[in-house]
Amino acid sequence: MTEQQALQERYADSLMNTFGPPKLVLTRGEGAHVWDADGKEYVDLLGGIAVNALGHAHPALVEAVTTQLSTLGHISNFFTSAPQVELAERLLAFAGAEGKAFFANSGAEANEAAFKLTRRTERTHVVVAEGGFHGRTMGALALTSKQAYRAPFEPLPGHVEFVPYGDEAALAAAVTDDTAAVLLEPIQGEAGVVVAPEGYLAAARRVADEHGALLWFDEVQSGMGRTGSWYAHLPSGVVPDVITLAKGLGGGFPIGAVLGLGRAADLFDPGNHGTTFGGNPVACAAALAVVRTIESEGLLAHAVEAGDRLRAGLIADPRVTEVRGEGLLIGLDLVSEHAAEVTAAAMAHGYIVNNPTPRRIRLAPPLVLGTADVDAFLAAWPRILDDAGVS
Ligand SMILES: *Cc1c(COP(=O)(O)O)cnc(C)c1O
């Protein structure tokens, strides 16, 4: 038995079976590469599901976390620290509107907080897109349409209505003067990287304004530079009232954020919401290191360039029928339902990819992914599809 097999057996005996069997036991990472317990090397094209923006063990992130932890690690929200305030200022400045931040520890927690924030409008109706994913707490699950995730946990917090993603008329028909918020991902990540059609976000803004509803963008997966902009909605010119962030924000250190812009900045009063760990100095220092490194290494421009190169190479194979996304958030459709086999074949070739649906492959690699890795993967791509039996 290999070391990996032994640990996988112990995992099965000691961890709740919420994720199915782990595919690998990983031991270390560097840049866009990781190694398993048997010493095999992989190019990580999933980046911990759009989390490891700076790749693995980036010196700037390691330095920021270790320095902060050895100076002041945790203080509770009776107190604040410079990293917390500075991070809030930076994230709000990227949004291009006046506002205020609330820090949490994950995407679901950020969405949970934002869901509560919408209730402070004294309305309860929330309109959400089908195919969206917003997390696994009871509140975040209530906002997530997938029946398989919801059914075992019903009844969920109510007054949530789902409309087809990208359908302006359906959205306009669903929103009323009782609607607290419209919640959308500018790019649906878990659905397999589905980009909002041209004009859809602006239409959502108009509809929300007509009825006095908040417009809330879940940028947990699409935000923090992954698409080549700080937030995926920025190129649309639409200014939402609420933005939620998490995955890439801490570059692997857990942190989430809610940005409330305009009137949404002041909807919470003292005592309305809270968290013990949220906004702690270490997590905020990690996120500041991510922000500064994206700036100093020019990673927004690099994400666009590397993403375009990947998309062009992936679609070149006729067994790929469509490739979508912006920057380094990439989804593609296969001619046949072999996405799980493609993920397995890619792993055998030393590449980590993900299959969010039976026909779709998603890539969300570190923003530091090098061109040599891109080209090596594209060279292997036809053989990966051969081995997976895609035809
Ligand atoms: C992953 C994700 C979440 C949930 O984040 P967690 O940190 O897993 O709780 C919420 N929204 C979107 C768009 C996501 O991709």
Side-chain angles (χ1 to χ4, degrees):
M1 193 187 294
T2 66
E3 192 178 333
Q4 287 210 81
Q5 286 163 342
L7 270 161
Q8 274 157 333
E9 281 197 4
R10 285 165 58 197
Y11 177 103
D13 289 338
S14 58
L15 276 293
M16 289 187 191
N17 187 20
T18 48
F19 304 103
K23 294 174 191 297
L24 294 169
V25 177
L26 296 174
T27 53
R28 72 185 178 91
E30 197 183 316
H33 294 218
V34 292
W35 284 262
D36 72 18
D38 298 326
K40 183 172 158 76
E41 183 176 348
Y42 303 84
V43 179
D44 181 5
L45 298 174
L46 187 57
I49 315 183
V51 166
N52 298 90
L54 306 184
H56 299 272
H58 193 291
L61 186 58
V62 173
E63 209 276 328
V65 168
T66 38
T67 300
Q68 188 59 51
L69 189 58
S70 55
T71 307
L72 184 69
H74 176 81
I75 54 176
S76 93
N77 283 304
F78 291 126
F79 309 101
T80 190
S81 63
Q84 184 184 60
V85 176
E86 191 180 341
L87 180 62
E89 291 170 347
R90 297 298 319 263
L91 298 178
L92 290 163
F94 295 145
E98 295 284 304
K100 290 180 182 167
F102 174 86
F103 289 115
N105 308 289
S106 66
E109 272 182 69
N111 285 336
E112 192 74 34
F115 193 9
K116 285 180 68 179
L117 188 80
T118 68
R119 290 282 175 106
R120 298 290 295 150
T121 61
E122 296 180 358
R123 300 179 180 188
T124 54
H125 184 229
V126 180
V127 178
V128 190
E130 287 167 5
F133 180 80
H134 303 291
R136 303 299 203 125
T137 61
M138 294 298 258
L141 193 54
L143 302 165
T144 297
S145 68
K146 192 166 171 173
Q147 267 311 314
Y149 293 169
R150 300 172 62 89
F153 302 102
E154 282 170 340
L156 293 163
H159 219 175
V160 178
E161 185 172 341
F162 294 99
V163 293
Y165 187 68
D167 183 337
E168 290 179 22
L171 190 63
V175 177
T176 73
D177 289 349
D178 293 325
T179 304
V182 173
L183 165 59
L184 299 170
E185 290 165 87
I187 299 179
Q188 290 189 324
E190 298 302 304
V193 188
V194 177
V195 182
E198 186 74 35
Y200 183 58
L201 301 182
R205 178 72 279 176
R206 273 196 310 278
V207 169
D209 284 343
E210 275 164 27
H211 295 281
L214 299 171
L215 179 61
W216 164 11
F217 289 156
D218 180 344
E219 293 251 14
V220 166
Q221 185 158 166
S222 57
M224 296 313 295
R226 171 145 302 280
T227 63
S229 311
W230 284 108
Y231 308 131
H233 71 269
L234 288 178
S236 74
V238 174
V239 180
D241 303 290
V242 178
I243 301 169
T244 43
L245 301 168
K247 290 193 167 91
L249 178 57
F253 204 92
I255 178 169
V258 182
L259 306 182
L261 307 179
R263 70 174 166 122
D266 296 306
L267 286 172
F268 275 150
D269 290 323
N272 280 166
H273 197 53
T275 164
T276 298
F277 296 117
N280 72 81
V282 182
C284 293
L288 279 172
V290 169
V291 167
R292 290 178 185 139
T293 305
I294 288 174
E295 288 174 331
S296 67
E297 296 190 6
L299 296 179
L300 297 182
H302 179 71
V304 171
E305 203 177 297
D308 286 348
R309 196 178 181 94
L310 271 166
R311 270 183 292 273
L314 291 164
I315 194 71
D317 192 292
R319 290 165 291 184
V320 175
T321 58
E322 183 175 80
V323 50
R324 296 176 300 272
E326 298 287 341
L328 286 172
L329 185 56
I330 299 174
L332 62 84
D333 287 3
L334 301 165
V335 286
S336 54
E337 295 204 340
H338 283 90
E341 291 83 352
V342 168
T343 296
M347 191 168 287
H349 281 264
Y351 297 95
I352 295 175
V353 305
N354 166 251
N355 47 296
T357 77
R359 221 185 177 99
R360 290 183 165 169
I361 294 293
R362 168 178 52 175
L363 308 181
L367 306 185
V368 298
L369 180 70
T371 306
D373 283 335
V374 170
D375 290 346
F377 173 61
L378 292 175
W381 181 235
R383 280 179 287 125
I384 290 169
L385 296 181
D386 290 345
D387 293 355
V390 182
S391 61

